[in-house]
Amino acid sequence: MTTTSDTYNFDPTAPADSRRSGGITGWASRYVDERTGISYVVREFGRKIFPDHWSFMLGEVALYSFVVILITGTFLTFFFQASMAEVTYDGSYGPLKGLEMSAAMQSTLHISFEIRGGLLIRQVHHWAALLFVASTMLHMLRIFFTGAFRKPRELNWVIGFVLWILAMAEGFTGYSLPDDLLSGNGLRIIAGMVEGIPFIGSWILWLLFGGEFPGTAIVGRLYTLHILLLPAAVLAFIALHLVFVVTHKHTQYAGPGRTNENVIGVPVLPVFAAKAGGFFFVVFGLLMLMGAFFTINPIWVYGPYDPSPVSAGTQPDWYIGFADGALRLMPGWLGGPGGVPMEFVLFNTTYSLNILIPIVVLGLFIVAVMLYPFLEAWVTGDKREHHIADRPRNMPSRTAIGAAGVAFYTVLFFGASSDLIATHFKVSIESMITILQFMLVLGPVLAFFVTKRICLALQKKDRQIVLHGTESGRIVRLPGGEYIEVHEPVDEYERWKLVAFNDYEPLMLRPNAAGRIPVTERARAAISRLFFEDRIEPVTSTELEVARHH
Amino acid sequence: MANDTNLPGHDGPSDSLVPVSTADPGTAVERSDALRNPGLPPHRLRVTDTDPKKAKTAERVIVALFYVSLVGSIFAMAAYFAFPIKPNDLGSVRLNNVFVGIGLSFALLAIGVAAIHWSKVLMDDHEGIDIRHPVKGDPKTQARAVEIFRQADRESGFNRRVLIRNGMIAAFAALPFPAIFLFRDLGPSAGTPAEAFSHTMWKAGTRLTKDPTGDPIRASDVTIGSVFHVIPEGLNDTEDVLEEKGKAAVLLMRLEPGDLHVSPEKRTWNYDGIVAYSKICTHVGCPVALYEQETHHLLCPCHQSQFDITREAAVIFGPAVRPLPQLPITVDSEGYLVARSDFHEPVGPSFWERRGDYNV
Amino acid sequence: MNDEMKPRRRKHGRRSPLASVALVLTGLLMTGGAYALFTAATPASASVDLTSTQTIQEGKKLFAANCATCHGLNLAGSDSGPSLIGVGAAAVDFQVGTGRMPLAKDAAQAPDKPPVFNDTQVKQLAGYVASISPGPGIPAASNLTLTGDATKGAELFRINCAMCHNVAGAGGALTEGKYAPNLMETSPSHIYEAMLTGPQNMPVFNDDNITPQEKQDIITALKTQSKSETVGGFALGSLGPVAEGLFIWIFGLGAVVAFTVWLTAKAN
């Protein structure tokens, strides 16, 4: 799979040379090689170079938390019963004794209270799931803000995007399995949303739950998705993701000696393997600490699912929060009760805009995340390969768009905890929701302009440093009596980091062969202006010369 | 120690090597007087490279860490036995969780820290360099790939024998549909969802009983300011308790009769200020149960929709649009509260087949 | 963050990060042990005869000085405070005993605060108000023994109380700045009185709705729960997934990112 090369350069003399040496290791590697031809892989990838930067490790955090999820999840499957059959609880937890509950809930309690280390593994599993999605998103943000999605990596961005969606799906299906009150109400909300879909909503719900909500089928069905279909898909996409990472070779930040044509860093064997391998144990260890010291999802407090009770502060796990927030921030009546209803009946069918608008807005947001690399490529028209990751400030408009997206997502996320914010900051939930509704519209706009200004200011500062050096804080009196602060010039290595970036100018509209300007080109030019009208150019050698003689 | 590790392609910008990509730069600005890449800075030695004592210390630390991990693993196993889980003793669960967890954390973290420390201070740290090649295949390979496709086309007649090709496409297109049909039996074979959503187990004469005990409620039990969580009588004996409860759960409150604004057609639906409303939110179905006895507002804890009980549960805030359906009630000969009928409209969230002519 | 930009000082080798890691781990081990062995204490209460003339006389004085301005000398209430006719000793014990009354300032609702009066004074006030117009009394100690059926109580709590107070009793938001308070530290008698009297916006749960035995079950469940919910470690305020999400972003990812910085920083 990874050996994409078209020729197989087997050198029959090479293993012969080493035949006599190597002791047991040598013997073992020869034994394997003569049966698999693995030495080719080792030769190609054993000394492959990986650049060293903390932000390049975030994807690994996601990968490792997924591995932890697989390990702990396998343990849990040995004890968990994905059945909604009614049983009577008779375990260690007093306040639930004698209560009717589903076998799923009972077996989860059994794991927590009767299996030694069971609670630990369950908590590690859940913490790892939260970390999996969180690190996936942090990784995506790193990729986005450094432009590491540009050609040739656009498709890998899409693969990573699919992994993000799959990670959320994994999380949600797992969250619902214990059949407790909290997750049950979460499912109730999903069922209610599904019900609101035009034409097919009620039928989808009917099929999903095997009849009316909650039915007796859903836990078993989610379990199949959770432990079979979704993990298989995640694994497949991770494999694909990594194949592309190897094919493309990792990006690196601009720096002395680093060009678009090379990769500078540490070799896989031994340094990177030791670091990355060690890092797996660190991530696992940290998750184990969390599992040992911090309660997560205490289902025994929530109790078994029952459609009648509900808890204050009913929220989904954080990564679904943005969807819940969208539902909360959507007003049922535009302009307050008595205004325009967001649900109405037309020709004896009901249109639930209060459900549909959040679904559509979230859908558009997610699709925009997926398509951004293609939009930027279209606007710049840049068909070159890019292997040098940008500093976020050097692409102000992209960074500003990213900040706007983060603001939008964050407002939705906080929307899902509006009641908790309200009680903790002593505001009323009504004003909290109104504030967040305004923030949802204004926040991204504000974030866009502020971020763009900050980026441009930072770029200007970089230019100053390159041209006039850094402020040393040393004040010197000149012979003429004038006081000046001495500026220390930056050395050429530092300087290179500050000037090595791409810049683009706005698209100039030119008529095509038919003498016309197509609409698409007009649109492209408009977006291009928005992107690149305000720009700071990198310092050139000519400018540097002028500054020096000044 | 100067740039001895530098290979071609690393001592300057893209001019000394064939660039990875010579494609169209779009609107990117390319300058002839751009500054040049200064090449790799001189390699800096670590203290462990220059001072053998430091190297020795580092080695000891790493060894020690691996042994810490070993101790951690043993500790975890010892904790497994030393802190057993005793039946009905939650404290023992807590001790087991904490101590097994600490042992395993040490075992894992120490391995990780040791391996990373080893790689950082003792393994060779000279920068390695890989040369990049364009991702696309070289022209010869590309040409060969195209040729293979052409040849396959020629040999199979894929584009020539149009009837075969189209027949094949049609066959493939039809294939997924049987699979979709198979999914129909995920749901029950009888009835339609809209039908099921439109009725609950309330009917004329069904007593209102307390959730979860099922004890009937007398009108006189419901004092002003009280709220009762109600299920229909006999619910706990039905086959599908949760499904029925999910539709039939009701909230019962008593207000001063003068506080209620009752529309003419619902004049008989309350009993002396006692009103019963569906507990299932008309937004997405959470139980709306937060009743404020002074303001007479009902709040849904999931999405903050608010309903005004004095005005027949009309929405006053939040994402819900419709009022909560009201259950018409009265008392029977023994003074117990009973339903006059089922709800006059489907309870819970809206769905496509929901009509506009209920309630009349 | 680039390694070349860092000052090249730190001559004393590179033992510090490892030492600190070891220190942190040892610290965690010790806190873990100490924490695991920690157990909660149990409260106690005083007894005053509510019907004695002396109690009522003392209560009358206190009432005239501290309460009559708003509630009126004859308990009939005024524009600034509701009538207290028929509220009974339970309501007084709850409102004054939790510090909600006397009201400090106008707010969406009266918050609990350190009580102004001591236990005896609270009982004297309660005795006085009950002597003018009878109402629900302070629950007998036999009703607060915490020996009820925790399973029944927990179920009743989920159905009748959790929607406002949260399943763990952590409290929650109501409309227009009001809130349902946290119940974890509330004494059994105050919980009982609150159910009986329905203070402020809380509905009344009279003895026909939730019987005295069921009230005791609820309190038993609540107290059992607040003791046992720490089985898995620190409860993060029992606020559910939001607290867990913030924890993973701030502390989980924070720790992981700190490690990535250490991992990729060039050694001295």
Side-chain angles (χ1 to χ4, degrees), chain A residues 274-285:
Chain A
K275 280 192 178 181
F279 191 43
F280 166 71
F281 288 95
V282 166
V283 171
F284 202 165

Side-chain angles (χ1 to χ4, degrees), chain B residues 244-256:
Chain B
E244 291 302 340
K245 198 174 185 180
K247 290 188 296 183
V250 155
L251 206 60
L252 186 72
M253 290 139 291
R254 183 172 211 154
L255 284 70
E256 294 283 358

Side-chain angles (χ1 to χ4, degrees), chain B residues 118-196:
Chain B
W118 181 6
S119 76
K120 284 182 62 169
V121 296
L122 291 182
M123 291 186 189
D124 184 275
D125 76 333
H126 280 85
E127 284 84 0
I129 295 163
D130 266 357
I131 307 296
R132 288 186 196 274
H133 307 287
V135 171
K136 66 176 178 196
D138 64 73
K140 262 166 75 184
T141 315
Q142 277 187 336
R144 177 67 189 132
V146 171
E147 177 51 31
I148 287 172
F149 277 125
R150 289 228 177 89
Q151 195 176 356
D153 182 30
R154 269 199 314 278
E155 290 173 3
S156 64
F158 186 80
N159 275 312
R160 205 155 24 90
R161 303 183 211 276
V162 178
L163 284 179
I164 292 185
R165 188 192 64 191
N166 293 355
M168 186 180 78
I169 291 172
F172 278 129
L175 204 50
F177 287 97
I180 293 174
F181 277 77
L182 288 180
F183 279 103
R184 166 59 185 87
D185 277 357
L186 281 174
S189 50
T192 66
E195 212 177 285

Side-chain angles (χ1 to χ4, degrees), chain B residues 46-47 61 90 95 102 106 113 117 120 125 210-211 221 223 225-229 290 292-295 306, chain C residues 18 25 29 36 159-160 163 174-175 178 198 200-204 206 208-209 228 262-263 265-266 268:
Chain B
R46 299 164 296 189
V47 286
V61 169
L90 297 179
L95 291 177
I102 288 175
F106 268 89
V113 173
H117 193 52
K120 284 182 62 169
D125 76 333
K210 286 198 276 180
D211 185 10
D221 296 346
T223 50
S226 283
V227 58
F228 282 62
H229 296 261
L290 284 73
E292 299 181 354
Q293 63 132 328
E294 286 180 347
T295 59
Q306 292 171 22
Chain C
L18 291 172
L25 291 180
L29 179 64
I159 289 171
N160 290 289
M163 72 293 266
L174 297 176
T175 68
K178 299 187 289 291
Q200 304 183 46
N201 265 299
M202 175 165 163
V204 178
N206 60 36
D208 293 318
N209 190 351
S228 62
W262 169 67
L263 182 146
K266 198 171 158 67
N268 258 355

Side-chain angles (χ1 to χ4, degrees), chain C residues 157 161 165-166 168-171 181-187 191 222-223:
Chain C
F157 184 81
C161 323
H165 290 285
N166 168 304
N182 184 320
L183 302 180
M184 289 172 189
E185 305 297 323
T186 313
S187 74
I191 297 175
L222 204 55
K223 292 299 161 194

Side-chain angles (χ1 to χ4, degrees), chain B residues 90-112:
Chain B
L90 297 179
S92 70
V93 179
R94 176 170 60 182
L95 291 177
N96 183 275
N97 188 57
V98 166
F99 285 106
V100 173
I102 288 175
L104 283 173
S105 305
F106 268 89
L108 291 162
L109 280 173
I111 288 188

Side-chain angles (χ1 to χ4, degrees), chain A residues 175 182 189 311-330 362 407-423 429 432-433 436-437 440, chain B residues 283 300-304 319, chain C residues 173 239-243 245-246:
Chain A
Y175 165 85
L182 184 68
I189 293 169
S311 170
T314 287
Q315 266 102 5
D317 267 0
W318 74 264
Y319 43 83
I320 307 290
F322 75 119
D324 197 49
L327 278 183
R328 290 188 186 203
L329 296 187
M330 175 71 209
L362 289 182
F408 184 76
Y409 183 92
T410 311
V411 173
L412 288 180
F413 172 77
F414 283 115
S417 43
S418 51
D419 50 338
L420 289 178
I421 303 175
T423 45
I429 42 174
M432 198 60 235
I433 285 175
L436 286 170
Q437 282 167 339
L440 190 64
Chain B
H283 177 222
C300 176
C302 293
H303 302 104
Q304 279 77 47
Chain C
L239 292 175
V242 172
L246 287 178

